[in-house]
Amino acid sequence: MIELLAPAGDLEKLKFAFHYGADAVYIGGQNFSLRANAKNFSLEDIKVGVEYAHKMQKRVYVTVNIIFHNKDTEGLEEYLWELSRIHVDAVIVSDLFVIELIRKQNIPLEVHLSTQASVLNHKSASFYKSLGVTRIVLAREASREDIKAIKESTDLELECFVHGAMCTSLSGRCVLSNRLTNRDANRGGCAQICRWVFEVEDSPKFSMTSKDLNMIPYLEEMITSGVNSFKVEGRMRGIYYIATVILCYRRMLDKIKDHSLTKEDEAYYLALLNRVANRESSPQFFDKLPGEKEQYFLGRQEVSNQDFLGLVLDYDEKEQIVTLEQRNYFKVGDEVQFFGPNMETFSYTVHTIWNENGEEISVANHPNMILKMPLDRHVSRLDMMRIKVFDKESFL
């Protein structure tokens, strides 16, 4: 089994993740989850999400992966039973007592071990397997050799992060946030201190930020090494980021499956992924220990991405008119691109825009405006319009 696993911070993001090609999503409830600042899911939301996923033969995993203090355990057993009644496909846990609780109470839940447990060797993986864990989410620091050894020794399902933010500490074992802001990183409150810019007297400003993870060059090798699930980080990210990243990895994995992947494909998808993020990226630990080129130390810019111009709401085939919900500024004369999961990306020059009153306008400059444009190529609901970044042909 090869699975593409997407983050989902709410129901809208869950639906976009599936629409753009994810096989499964991981989500957090409003308690016991490491992304406390995400909107997260109520139990009713989880039920809706699971029913939606299962109708599509897709899967939902729920994170229960905080490091528990005594007061955090209140209500946990009832919550786990409720997740089992909702029929979530697995829970992702890190604290040993949660695994023991599920086993002792015979709660019918599949258990995946969180990356927070920092598994990097086959003896640890075997230990967790003996407790009933069926999948290990390996530490982000796992190398090619680590992955192969764990797979060969345990035959467990292995899940690896392939894209998104890295932690400066070992897979989240950081207390900087606790010390400097009193927000507990290991109970969902990380203030991302490693991305702060520090000043030291008579020295340049500095940070200690890792560049993002990006495993595009090694996807095929990860499959042969024994990775079953390819995980994208980003429950706090928006729908444009999720759609772009998941679609890139979906198409890469499909091309690997049918033996049609080329170096030009890799270059194209890598360029798209680097464009959608606001930090540079690197394969990090898979091939070698990261060095100074895989980190930021002196000066960096994290500019918010403004490429997402509009979300397709409808397309009138007869009149050849697209209806959009505007997301960022664009105007008549701009070159744009439309993309989606069931179409080839194409470019278009904007020459007419109508507002929701049918009036012709030259500039779309109010977020969430409902607009119409003539368009002689078919698009579908939930396709997206972005600024023209580059043509795929330029990579051939």
Side-chain angles (χ1 to χ4, degrees):
M1 178 195 74
I2 300 300
E3 174 186 85
L4 178 57
L5 178 57
D10 56 34
L11 276 171
E12 180 189 38
K13 294 171 186 176
L14 175 148
K15 292 176 181 179
F16 272 92
F18 286 142
H19 183 68
Y20 276 82
D23 301 302
V25 297
Y26 62 101
I27 66 176
Q30 293 174 343
N31 296 302
F32 316 118
S33 169
L34 270 179
R35 286 293 178 266
N37 294 324
K39 184 178 178 182
N40 289 324
F41 287 68
S42 66
L43 281 169
E44 182 57 33
D45 287 339
I46 295 173
K47 181 179 180 182
V48 171
V50 169
E51 289 174 351
Y52 181 87
H54 288 178
K55 285 179 182 177
M56 303 175 71
Q57 287 77 54
K58 296 178 185 274
R59 298 174 290 279
V60 175
Y61 310 137
V62 177
T63 57
V64 188
N65 59 345
I66 63 169
I67 303 301
F68 284 79
H69 291 223
N70 287 321
K71 65 179 181 181
D72 298 322
T73 64
E74 296 173 7
L76 175 62
E77 184 176 343
E78 294 82 357
Y79 179 69
L80 293 171
W81 275 111
E82 192 59 38
L83 292 181
S84 74
R85 285 189 282 269
I86 291 171
H87 301 295
V88 303
D89 295 279
V91 288
I92 304 171
V93 309
S94 61
D95 203 312
L96 278 168
F97 103 90
V98 181
I99 302 172
E100 182 183 49
L101 175 64
I102 291 170
R103 186 176 63 175
K104 283 190 172 181
Q105 298 303 321
N106 293 312
I107 303 174
L109 285 170
E110 183 173 329
V111 178
H112 296 175
L113 187 74
S114 172
T115 192
Q116 291 295 111
S118 302
V119 169
L120 287 167
N121 66 80
H122 65 87
K123 291 186 182 294
S124 289
S126 295
F127 167 72
Y128 285 108
K129 183 178 181 179
S130 73
L131 299 180
V133 169
T134 60
R135 177 186 293 190
I136 305 288
V137 187
L138 293 178
R140 288 172 170 87
E141 297 77 23
S143 69
R144 165 197 294 113
E145 291 74 21
D146 295 330
I147 295 169
K148 287 180 178 178
I150 292 169
K151 189 68 174 184
E152 290 170 2
S153 297
T154 68
D155 200 34
L156 281 163
E157 288 186 9
L158 299 183
E159 179 178 308
C160 288
F161 281 93
V162 291
H163 199 89
M166 291 289 291
C167 184
T168 296
S169 183
L170 182 67
S171 280
R173 297 193 175 197
C174 180
V175 294
L176 280 175
S177 182
N178 308 53
R179 295 297 186 189
L180 296 181
T181 68
N182 203 32
R183 288 169 51 181
D184 193 336
N186 298 303
R187 285 193 286 173
C190 182
Q192 298 181 330
I193 306 301
C194 55
R195 294 183 191 170
W196 290 14
V197 177
F198 294 89
E199 294 186 47
V200 178
E201 189 174 353
D202 300 322
S203 298
K205 294 180 180 180
F206 76 95
S207 66
M208 47 187 164
T209 307
S210 296
K211 293 181 180 179
D212 277 3
L213 177 66
N214 185 323
M215 288 299 297
I216 284 289
Y218 295 106
L219 288 184
E220 195 160 7
E221 190 173 354
M222 292 181 77
I223 292 173
T224 59
S225 298
V227 176
N228 301 101
S229 181
F230 293 79
K231 187 171 192 170
V232 173
E233 182 274 340
R235 278 189 280 156
M236 302 285 286
R237 297 280 195 169
I239 59 171
Y240 175 68
Y241 179 90
I242 291 170
T244 303
V245 174
I246 293 303
L247 187 58
C248 285
Y249 278 95
R250 175 77 277 152
R251 290 187 168 163
M252 287 276 292
L253 290 171
D254 288 347
K255 283 178 174 288
I256 290 171
K257 184 178 179 180
D258 65 20
H259 307 289
S260 65
L261 183 66
T262 66
K263 289 296 181 184
E264 291 76 19
D265 290 324
E266 284 190 10
Y268 172 66
Y269 292 119
L270 183 60
L272 281 177
L273 290 167
N274 284 335
R275 175 85 189 193
V276 76
N278 57 4
R279 287 185 295 275
E280 295 176 49
S281 62
S282 161
Q284 296 292 351
F285 287 84
F286 183 80
D287 195 47
K288 61 180 177 61
L289 286 176
E292 72 278 3
K293 292 183 179 179
E294 284 72 45
Q295 307 238 357
Y296 292 109
F297 293 103
L298 302 175
R300 74 182 194 278
Q301 290 185 332
E302 295 186 3
V303 179
S304 177
N305 186 289
Q306 303 295 311
D307 288 355
F308 182 23
L309 302 181
L311 177 66
V312 174
L313 300 180
D314 189 30
Y315 182 71
D316 187 321
E317 197 80 49
K318 183 178 179 181
E319 300 294 332
Q320 294 191 320
I321 291 175
V322 61
T323 303
L324 297 165
E325 183 181 78
Q326 185 261 15
R327 292 303 176 95
N328 278 297
Y329 173 96
F330 68 95
K331 65 186 187 303
V332 169
D334 283 351
E335 286 192 277
V336 302
Q337 287 180 325
F338 285 88
F339 72 97
N342 301 308
M343 59 176 284
E344 288 295 324
T345 299
F346 66 88
S347 299
Y348 176 77
T349 301
V350 177
H351 57 83
T352 307
I353 308 171
W354 298 291
N355 65 20
E356 57 188 323
N357 297 318
E359 301 163 333
E360 189 169 335
I361 59 176
S362 59
V363 175
N365 56 359
H366 299 296
N368 302 117
M369 294 175 70
I370 305 301
L371 306 170
K372 293 182 182 291
M373 292 171 25
L375 186 67
D376 59 1
R377 296 277 296 273
H378 177 83
V379 291
S380 301
R381 178 175 170 78
L382 304 186
D383 289 345
M384 294 185 179
M385 186 178 86
R386 66 186 176 213
I387 67 169
K388 182 178 179 180
V389 288
F390 32 70
D391 287 316
K392 190 172 183 179
E393 289 72 22
S394 63
F395 292 86
L396 299 177

